[in-house]
Amino acid sequence: MTDLKPGDLLLIGEACSVQFTGDRALRLRLVSVDARPTYHGWVWLTGYVLNDKGLAVDKREVFVQQAGLVSAALPRIGVRKRPSGYSRGDTAWVPPSSSATTHSTGGV
């Protein structure tokens, strides 16, 4: 993998460095790539470690062999839709067919 950009999801495993062997492998959502020169083929990456649900659990900086990086896929997380009649900021559901009326409280 040669073109790294923020937002990429990477699998950091044994091919990147022996410290990520077996259960020490991790999925990293890339935040930045350090531009400073390092050993040929190695790179410093900063990103968030993701759990099995795709949620960030830790921020890490890792030194890895770029040739060992693999693009990873996230599990799809369902998004619940609001029923019709809700709008952003509503606290109560109003059926779409009803009309909202304003009642006066008599000068209170």
Side-chain angles (χ1 to χ4, degrees), residues 1-12 15-16 28-30 33 41-43 45 64-73:
M1 217 175 164
T2 58
D3 186 31
L4 298 171
K5 58 190 177 306
D8 286 349
L9 182 60
L10 305 170
L11 180 60
I12 309 292
C16 295
L28 188 83
R29 174 69 69 191
L30 187 62
V33 179
W42 290 77
V43 63
L45 303 176
V64 295
Q65 292 184 58
Q66 192 167 354
L69 294 172
V70 177
S71 181

Side-chain angles (χ1 to χ4, degrees), residues 37-59:
T38 64
Y39 294 107
H40 179 73
W42 290 77
V43 63
W44 280 103
L45 303 176
T46 301
Y48 290 97
V49 177
L50 305 182
N51 66 11
D52 293 339
K53 295 180 182 179
L55 302 174
V57 293
D58 193 17
K59 187 171 184 179

